[in-house]
């Protein structure tokens, strides 16, 4: 351990420095995104979603993605085009208010990256904040098992390079050969 914040580790002939907080935060963030069940709150009055024809089609073709983001939308096929969709439930959170702008955020993400599995920005921020607060902090003294857990957890991730706030999780120091 170096400076109560970094782990030095060797992988084959390469030496890496690992930020214990950023690495633990990245692992916790991915775990929360994968495992956290979003609780939705029904709205007393459904909110009409004024859309373009294209936006309406994006919503109607991706209702399950909106649902996984805690945004439940009803579709009335008999209403005029552009007024068919209504927001009927939003993610329940004490910290963040969700609404129509989150539907628009997901529409934009789906339009720009149609094959992705988007998460609305507010939900991402919520995951990142919770992951940060539950992670090992800089200054926390880790024993050998704690350091090993940080390195092992990082090795399980597909994209381990940065925490959700953008901080690098590791840097290659040099090759030992």
């Amino acid at each position: 351990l170096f400076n109560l914040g970094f782990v030095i580790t060797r992988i084959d002939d390469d030496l890496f420095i690992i930020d214990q907080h950023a690495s633990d935060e990245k692992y916790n963030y991915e775990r929360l995104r994968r495992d956290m069940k979003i609780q939705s709150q029904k709205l007393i009055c459904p909110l009409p979603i004024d859309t373009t024809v294209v936006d309406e089609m994006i919503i109607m073709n991706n209702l399950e993605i909106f649902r996984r983001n805690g945004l439940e939308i009803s579709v009335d096929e008999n209403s005029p085009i552009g007024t068919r969709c209504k927001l009927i439930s939003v993610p329940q959170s004490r910290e963040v208010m969700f609404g129509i702008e989150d539907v628009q955020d997901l529409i934009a993400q789906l339009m720009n990256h149609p094959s992705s599995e988007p998460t609305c920005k507010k939900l991402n921020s919520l995951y990142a904040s919770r992951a940060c607060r539950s992670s090992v902090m800089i200054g926390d003294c880790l024993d050998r098992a704690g350091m090993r857990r940080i390195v092992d957890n990082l090795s399980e991730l597909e994209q381990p390079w940065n925490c959700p706030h953008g901080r690098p999780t590791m840097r290659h120091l040099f090759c030992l050969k």
Side-chain angles (χ1 to χ4, degrees):
L1 185 63
F2 169 72
N3 196 26
L4 294 181
F6 299 93
V7 177
I8 306 292
T9 189
R10 178 180 169 180
I11 301 172
D12 298 323
D13 290 327
D14 294 297
L15 203 60
F16 292 87
I17 186 167
I18 296 177
D19 180 321
Q20 71 184 31
H21 173 72
S23 298
D24 199 34
E25 181 179 336
K26 176 64 174 184
Y27 177 78
N28 289 332
Y29 171 78
E30 294 296 334
R31 181 183 47 77
L32 280 171
R33 279 190 53 143
R34 181 187 67 234
D35 299 341
M36 190 168 150
K37 179 73 173 137
I38 300 167
Q39 300 296 317
S40 290
Q41 175 68 50
K42 291 272 186 203
L43 299 174
I44 294 171
C45 294
L47 297 174
I49 306 169
D50 292 322
T51 62
T52 64
V53 174
V54 172
D55 290 352
E56 192 172 84
M57 291 306 298
I58 289 172
I59 290 172
M60 292 168 63
N61 291 332
N62 294 283
L63 287 172
E64 187 55 35
I65 289 174
F66 286 92
R67 194 172 294 115
R68 282 195 295 269
N69 277 270
L71 300 163
E72 197 160 340
I73 298 171
S74 69
V75 178
D76 180 0
E77 298 282 345
N78 297 321
S79 291
I81 293 174
T83 62
R84 295 177 179 175
C85 300
K86 288 186 175 35
L87 183 61
I88 59 173
S89 66
V90 295
Q92 183 178 333
S93 171
R94 287 175 284 173
E95 300 138 26
V96 180
M97 292 293 293
F98 292 87
I100 299 291
E101 66 277 3
D102 302 297
V103 173
Q104 293 164 339
D105 172 32
L106 283 176
I107 291 169
Q109 290 183 54
L110 286 163
M111 193 176 296
N112 294 329
H113 307 285
S115 62
S116 70
E117 177 65 35
T119 303
C120 72
K121 290 176 185 163
K122 287 181 189 173
L123 212 46
N124 258 335
S125 292
L126 197 61
Y127 290 148
S129 178
R130 288 182 182 174
C132 182
R133 287 192 304 253
S134 66
S135 296
V136 170
M137 295 296 174
I138 295 292
D140 289 350
C141 186
L142 298 179
D143 60 12
R144 194 169 194 80
M147 289 184 249
R148 178 92 251 153
R149 181 183 57 79
I150 296 285
V151 173
D152 289 346
N153 286 348
L154 201 57
S155 71
E156 293 176 16
L157 302 176
E158 280 186 43
Q159 299 290 323
W161 316 117
N162 297 83
C163 80
H165 297 110
R167 194 159 120 188
T169 56
M170 70 179 104
R171 289 284 189 223
H172 180 258
L173 293 176
F174 56 87
C175 182
L176 297 170
K177 281 192 172 187

